[in-house]
Amino acid sequence: MRTAVLAEPTQFELEDRPRPSPGPDDVLVAIKDVGICGSDVHYYEHGRIGDYVVEDPLVLGHESAGEVVEAGENVTGLEPGDRVALEPGVPCRHCAHCKRGDYHLCEDVQFMATPPHDGAFTEYVSWPADFAYELPENVSTVEGALCEPLSVGIHACRRGDVGTGDTVLVTGAGPIGLLVMEAARAAGATDIVVSDIVAEKLDFAEERGADMTVDVTETDLETAVEEYTDGVGADVVVEASGADPSIRATVDTVRRGGTVVLVGLADEASVPFNVLEVIDNEIDVHGSFRYKNTYDAAVDLLADDAVDVEEIVDFESTLGDIDAAFQRAMEPTTLKGMITLDS
């Protein structure tokens, strides 16, 4: 099978690798579509993300969907011909985190495209059947692949307890911020404000239904939110940019008694935070790490046309043109690239 391998930073090599065979509890999936995530781009450009270092050739790609071509002997509910989205993190299932249901916090999780675990820029993947989710006929494999970033948005909104009538501020209009906006709207939020520094991304957010957008290079975010909310502040602030100024602004833009959810990864581990404001205003501050138990919800939202994910895809490319696709994905105005395989 053809496989794109990151041999060194900014260089993929196409290899012929043996096609895997599914284990008794696995399905063999012919991969159809794989999204290019920001983490993939970071590994491609720098060869590492924090403590995760690409020391050996690595297959990137963790936003994937495809068609089942073979099922293990213990698999029920899936059969050849079924189209599936693959949840990329498989936990140990035995630790305290897994047993309490927080399997996304498992310290022994095997996550696609996180060293040393290979991802989905390949023609076939063997994957545990209980982390493969069947797609209904009206959901494409492109949408199925984007269940992964949509799941990040769903989990962030669950962490923030976004509900009916809420005003939500989303800082960052990249793919995650835009899908947080979709998930927040589906959860019942009636007013959504989106901020960023790229005008094109803000225009796109407005086209997709943002009630107000704020270009923070031109307008003070705290002032804009204060005016929009008549001095109250946002019920929930979801920080999806990782930018220091946006992180600092969360406690200044959320209402008293409101909730801040941190999703974006900052360049530095420590960002100054006004703890007195958190205490005095009784602000709940939550981290949001990946997701848990979100894929069924993501598929249902897509099947019901309650969210729109395909519009964030700027371009599709082939496995053979993956280097050029990643170069394009690195452009500041690009939202999402998709690698499409003809397996």
Side-chain angles (χ1 to χ4, degrees):
M1 63 180 186
R2 291 181 308 150
T3 303
V5 180
L6 183 67
E8 58 184 73
T10 70
Q11 182 179 331
F12 282 105
E13 293 181 357
L14 286 179
E15 295 182 359
D16 285 325
R17 290 190 172 186
R19 171 173 157 173
S21 298
D25 300 309
D26 303 336
V27 287
L28 181 65
V29 177
I31 299 298
K32 298 297 184 184
D33 291 288
V34 189
I36 300 175
C37 176
S39 64
D40 294 319
V41 173
H42 206 83
Y43 281 127
Y44 174 77
E45 189 173 7
H46 303 290
R48 66 183 301 156
I49 297 177
D51 294 333
Y52 295 103
V53 181
V54 181
E55 296 178 341
D56 299 303
L58 182 70
V59 180
L60 295 177
H62 61 266
E63 303 174 0
S64 65
E67 182 178 316
V68 175
V69 294
E70 188 178 345
E73 60 187 34
N74 296 335
V75 174
T76 60
L78 289 175
E79 59 186 23
D82 290 339
R83 297 173 314 116
V84 293
L86 299 183
E87 182 173 353
V90 178
C92 76
R93 309 169 194 265
H94 305 297
C95 69
H97 300 297
C98 288
K99 288 183 176 181
R100 71 166 61 98
D102 295 330
Y103 67 86
H104 64 311
L105 300 180
C106 174
E107 295 180 2
D108 292 321
V109 66
Q110 296 184 24
F111 200 89
M112 279 185 181
T114 299
H117 306 295
D118 282 339
F121 287 134
T122 184
E123 290 186 307
Y124 295 92
V125 168
S126 179
W127 205 245
D130 56 338
F131 284 84
Y133 299 81
E134 186 175 1
L135 300 175
E137 290 184 4
N138 67 330
V139 176
S140 69
T141 51
V142 169
E143 292 173 303
L146 295 177
C147 281
E148 200 280 338
L150 177 58
S151 284
V152 175
I154 292 170
H155 186 66
C157 288
R158 287 177 176 175
R159 292 287 285 159
D161 197 24
V162 175
T164 304
D166 279 349
T167 295
V168 177
L169 167 65
V170 182
T171 55
I176 296 301
L178 291 170
L179 294 181
V180 166
M181 182 178 78
E182 293 280 347
R185 189 76 75 189
T190 50
D191 290 274
I192 300 177
V193 179
V194 179
S195 67
D196 204 284
I197 61 173
V198 180
E200 292 88 345
K201 291 183 177 180
L202 291 172
D203 290 342
F204 188 67
E206 191 167 349
E207 291 172 8
R208 290 173 61 86
D211 296 286
M212 183 176 76
T213 58
V214 182
D215 185 337
V216 293
T217 65
E218 299 178 350
T219 304
D220 178 72
L221 182 59
E222 182 180 358
T223 300
V225 172
E226 183 177 6
E227 291 177 354
Y228 186 80
T229 61
D230 295 326
V232 175
D235 297 297
V236 182
V237 178
V238 180
E239 205 303 294
S241 72
D244 282 13
S246 294
I247 296 171
R248 296 171 194 244
T250 56
V251 295
D252 297 320
T253 50
V254 70
R255 67 166 172 82
R256 298 195 78 190
T259 303
V260 170
V261 181
L262 302 176
V263 181
L265 298 178
D267 289 334
E268 300 294 334
S270 298
V271 176
F273 214 66
N274 192 324
V275 177
L276 292 181
E277 285 191 39
V278 173
I279 296 170
D280 290 346
N281 293 311
E282 204 168 76
I283 298 169
D284 291 331
V285 180
H286 296 285
S288 185
F289 180 68
R290 293 176 179 161
Y291 37 77
K292 62 174 181 177
N293 301 314
T294 54
Y295 263 66
D296 281 329
V299 172
D300 286 344
L301 288 172
L302 290 167
D304 290 344
D305 290 326
V307 296
D308 179 4
V309 297
E310 280 191 300
E311 285 295 316
I312 71 170
V313 177
D314 292 303
F315 68 93
E316 295 183 9
S317 189
T318 65
L319 201 62
D321 291 328
I322 192 168
D323 270 306
F326 267 69
Q327 290 294 321
R328 184 170 176 184
M330 292 166 61
E331 297 174 1
T333 56
T334 298
L335 286 171
K336 175 68 65 175
M338 186 71 59
I339 299 296
T340 298
L341 295 90
D342 296 319
S343 301

